[in-house]
Amino acid sequence: MRHDAPLLWHEATKSYIVSRYEDVERVFKDKAGEFTTENYDWQIEPVHGRTILQLSGREHAVRRALVAPAFRGADLRDKFLPVIERNSRELIDRFRGSGSVDLVADYATRFPVNVIADMLGLDKSDYERFHGWYTAVIAFLGNLSGDQDVARAGERTRVEFAEYMLPIIRERRAAPGDDLLSTLCTAEVDGVRMSDEDVKAFCSLLLAAGGETTDKAIAGIFANLLTHPDQLAAVRADRSLIARAFAETLRYTPPVHMIMRQSAADVELSGGTVPAGSTVTCLIGSANRDEDRYRDPDVFDIFREDLTATNAFSAAADHLAFALGRHFCVGALLARSEVETGVGQLLDAMPDLRLADGFDPVENGVFTRGPKSLPVRFTPVSG
């Protein structure tokens, strides 16, 4: 497609598919105001309610200013890094003496959801409910065939999550604490505060987007390193390379493979014109393997010189896994903190980490993608 059909009308999804790096980058950066996020009105609003992803202009800028401080700088370092470290350690403590574990089922799927619940000041014993909700939401997003049971399950999560969250939000407004939910309830920018529905929708988005993607990123890093033992050894010897391993994983096996946008005008892209009012499906996985952008793009190489780890978690990133432009992932630095902490602690706990005999990691998924399981063996470390 990149070579022969860089702009492809896809009848089944009623969208134009773009697959080249230069086109996906242009859609995301959207310097000319040609693309909107109106697609989220039908794509995610039925399960989350109206979220920051759907906003534009001043409304988007104010909402982002309300939520962004918690995900960067002093708040992230002082308030939430200890939460990340504690949650990772608690999970590892369950299996550090066992000699074997499924890194997906027993760690990656649980870690980011536990962190977000802890950050929000929610009860981690409700983990199974959180995980069930975000799994239903992700299934809804990837429901390209229009399965009615999947659609109903996704829509049901909106009702159930609202019934769970709205009383808690009202409690935090009345008696704020030191948690992220209290911060969201009390934050004010230019006289604007988030409504109960705004806060609920953001928490719903945070659980789904922050849970599913970091889950698949951690699984992806280990799948990639375990199948490239020399690079695993390098990362084990020099933990500063974890950032490079994460950046290359985001390029090579991105957790999110597709993001949609809506064209506000007729737009010329490689291969033709996208008519105004069309849905555009950006293939991140393809763009991140574009041979015109990366040398040997189908090779996993944490030392590659055409990918910069230092800006991989900012809007100046030269991969596309977090999108770009004004809707660049607000949780990118949180994800980096979770991954660097989690990978470091796992390597400490499992000094001779290796795949279970005969296991070959396989990715699954359409919108989001990663290994469904990752059974590993290791010699337990005493103490």
Side-chain angles (χ1 to χ4, degrees):
M1 281 171 57
R2 278 196 308 271
H3 189 265
D4 298 324
L7 183 65
L8 179 76
W9 169 253
H10 189 239
E11 182 62 31
T13 54
K14 297 284 190 284
S15 72
Y16 286 88
I17 295 181
V18 295
S19 50
R20 289 182 179 174
Y21 185 98
E22 63 174 339
D23 291 323
V24 174
E25 179 187 40
R26 179 177 164 193
V27 173
F28 286 164
K29 285 189 172 176
D30 187 34
K31 291 178 178 174
E34 298 165 321
F35 295 96
T36 74
T37 53
E38 288 177 10
N39 51 290
Y40 290 133
D41 295 358
W42 54 265
Q43 198 180 5
I44 67 169
E45 189 169 336
V47 286
H48 288 310
R50 190 162 176 79
T51 71
I52 191 171
L53 289 176
Q54 294 161 266
L55 306 179
S56 59
R58 176 173 153 65
E59 196 181 9
H60 174 262
V62 169
R63 286 294 184 284
R64 190 159 176 121
L66 283 166
V67 302
F71 297 95
R72 63 180 185 227
D75 266 14
L76 179 58
R77 184 184 64 248
D78 300 338
K79 206 188 276 190
F80 298 127
L81 193 56
V83 173
I84 292 167
E85 291 170 343
R86 180 176 69 247
N87 277 282
S88 177
R89 196 165 50 247
E90 286 173 357
L91 286 170
I92 294 171
D93 284 346
R94 296 182 187 180
F95 58 76
R96 71 168 72 241
S98 68
S100 67
V101 68
D102 183 337
L103 282 177
V104 173
D106 298 318
Y107 185 86
T109 56
R110 294 177 175 271
F111 175 44
V113 181
N114 285 0
V115 167
I116 290 165
D118 212 346
M119 287 173 67
L120 290 168
L122 303 177
D123 190 340
K124 282 191 296 182
S125 67
D126 288 323
Y127 162 81
E128 297 297 345
R129 295 174 78 182
F130 299 143
H131 189 262
W133 283 329
Y134 95 61
T135 303
V137 167
I138 297 302
F140 183 94
L141 292 181
N143 186 24
L144 299 178
S145 64
D147 183 304
Q148 287 303 301
D149 288 341
V150 173
R152 280 191 290 268
E155 289 163 3
R156 198 160 54 242
T157 63
R158 178 174 174 174
V159 176
E160 291 175 1
F161 190 69
E163 289 173 348
Y164 177 87
M165 281 300 301
L166 289 173
I168 299 173
I169 290 168
R170 286 192 284 271
E171 287 171 14
R172 299 294 161 87
R173 286 206 193 279
D178 196 34
D179 53 84
L180 175 58
L181 182 55
S182 296
T183 301
L184 295 172
C185 288
T186 56
E188 187 173 314
V189 171
D190 294 347
V192 176
R193 280 186 161 195
M194 294 169 77
S195 68
D196 289 3
E197 176 62 27
D198 288 339
V199 174
K200 185 272 299 178
F202 183 75
C203 292
S204 177
L205 180 66
L206 186 59
L207 271 169
E212 175 78 359
T213 54
T214 307
D215 156 1
K216 288 182 163 44
I218 291 170
I221 284 178
F222 277 102
N224 291 332
L225 290 176
L226 284 162
T227 51
H228 297 81
D230 55 328
Q231 296 185 61
L232 175 60
V235 172
R236 186 181 289 288
D238 179 0
R239 301 301 172 82
S240 71
L241 293 174
I242 294 174
R244 294 192 73 96
F246 188 18
E248 175 66 347
T249 292
L250 289 169
R251 183 200 69 81
Y252 183 70
T253 49
V256 178
H257 266 244
M258 288 192 276
I259 289 180
M260 291 176 169
R261 290 288 188 262
Q262 210 82 7
S263 57
D266 291 357
V267 186
E268 289 288 328
L269 294 173
S270 299
T273 303
V274 177
S278 303
T279 299
V280 178
T281 299
C282 297
L283 297 189
I284 293 170
S286 168
N288 277 351
R289 299 276 191 109
D290 190 334
E291 47 282 293
D292 289 339
R293 174 62 183 79
Y294 299 104
R295 186 176 173 216
D296 298 327
D298 295 325
V299 173
F300 179 80
D301 178 11
I302 66 173
F303 299 106
R304 65 170 54 249
E305 294 176 356
D306 48 11
L307 184 70
T308 315
T310 50
N311 64 8
F313 313 99
S314 74
D318 43 18
H319 61 81
L320 302 166
F322 287 132
L324 294 167
R326 63 183 173 277
H327 286 285
F328 178 80
C329 174
V330 74
L333 291 175
L334 172 64
R336 178 182 183 169
S337 295
E338 289 177 319
V339 166
E340 292 189 347
T341 298
V343 172
Q345 288 189 5
L346 285 164
L347 291 175
D348 287 342
M350 300 184 284
D352 57 348
L353 177 67
R354 58 202 181 273
L355 284 169
D357 292 346
F359 185 80
D360 185 23
V362 176
E363 287 191 297
N364 295 87
V366 179
F367 262 86
T368 60
R369 191 165 170 80
K372 264 195 170 167
S373 68
L374 200 61
V376 297
R377 303 280 179 270
F378 59 95
T379 303
V381 185
S382 60

